[in-house]
């Protein structure tokens, strides 16, 4: 005898409902995976190159432009590992930098939230802006030829190589 309190769906009705549930779970997993894989694309735009700057009619800053702009300037720069660094170009040629240290730059592999560096800056006669920073575990020493595109600044290591990567800087007085 069949109990009057127990009811079961016939197999033909239950199966599509179970299948629908499985398909929705797969769809949700696929959608979540798609979003996770797409995040790095939105987080990091394609890097700029010297050729891109020239195509955008970027103007190279002259020695005089740099010698006027850089003393007392507040500089912000995001490097390839995602760390944001900030410093002020003091009028005496020194700087004190900080980094949010997302890429552990200069921390000697230690996990720290903020890293600090002391250093110097200068403008060379060839029209390059040069920086030397002494982090805890690393010395950073570089020069960049600076360009302005709209309200953004970019620095490149070479004027001869169109494929040279351009680093973006925010420079404010």
């Amino acid at each position: 005898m069949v109990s009057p309190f127990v009811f079961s769906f016939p197999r033909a009705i239950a199966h599509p409902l179970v299948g629908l549930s499985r398909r929705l779970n797969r769809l949700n997993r696929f959608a979540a995976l798609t979003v996770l894989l797409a995040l790095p694309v939105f987080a990091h735009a394609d890097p700029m190159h010297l050729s891109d700057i020239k195509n955008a009619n970027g103007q190279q800053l002259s020695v005089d432009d740099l010698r006027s702009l850089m003393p007392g300037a507040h500089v912000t720069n995001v490097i390839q590992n995602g760390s944001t660094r900030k410093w002020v170009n003091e009028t005496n040629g020194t700087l004190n930098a900080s980094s949010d240290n997302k890429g552990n730059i200069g921390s000697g592999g230690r996990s720290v939230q903020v890293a600090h560096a002391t250093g110097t800056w200068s403008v060379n006669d060839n029209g390059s802006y040069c920086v030397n920073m002494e982090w805890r575990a690393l010395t950073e020493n570089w020069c960049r030829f600076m360009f302005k595109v709209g309200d953004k600044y970019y620095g490149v290591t070479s004027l001869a190589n169109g494929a040279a990567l351009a680093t973006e800087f925010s420079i404010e007085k």
Side-chain angles (χ1 to χ4, degrees), residues 23 35 53 87 92 102 128 140 147-148:
R23 283 191 298 267
V35 168
I53 292 170
W87 64 91
N92 66 0
K102 288 183 182 174
S128 61
E140 191 175 332
F147 287 81
K148 187 169 185 182

Side-chain angles (χ1 to χ4, degrees), residues 35-47 78-82 102:
V35 168
L36 288 175
L37 291 175
L39 283 176
V41 172
F42 294 112
H44 298 287
D46 288 337
V78 179
I79 58 177
Q80 286 181 330
N81 70 12
K102 288 183 182 174

Side-chain angles (χ1 to χ4, degrees), residues 63-173:
V63 172
D64 290 339
D65 292 337
L66 290 169
R67 289 187 175 148
S68 173
L69 175 67
M70 291 304 184
H74 294 250
V75 181
T76 303
N77 165 243
V78 179
I79 58 177
Q80 286 181 330
N81 70 12
S83 293
T84 300
R85 299 116 44 85
K86 297 179 180 191
W87 64 91
V88 176
N89 290 333
E90 300 295 342
T91 56
N92 66 0
T94 64
L95 61 84
N96 287 299
S98 65
S99 171
D100 63 9
N101 212 27
K102 288 183 182 174
N104 279 336
I105 186 166
S107 65
R110 295 175 14 168
S111 179
V112 295
Q113 291 183 346
V114 177
H116 296 280
T118 58
T120 59
W121 69 273
S122 63
V123 174
N124 286 343
D125 290 337
N126 69 355
S128 61
Y129 168 61
C130 299
V131 169
N132 177 285
M133 294 184 204
E134 299 285 337
W135 301 95
R136 174 186 288 268
L138 134 85
T139 297
E140 191 175 332
N141 191 3
W142 49 262
C143 294
R144 300 285 186 272
F145 296 97
M146 301 300 292
F147 287 81
K148 187 169 185 182
V149 178
D151 62 347
K152 294 183 180 182
Y153 293 92
Y154 295 91
V156 295
T157 57
S158 169
L159 295 174
N161 179 4
L165 283 177
T167 304
E168 184 177 333
F169 293 86
S170 169
I171 302 173
E172 298 175 358
K173 283 290 239 181

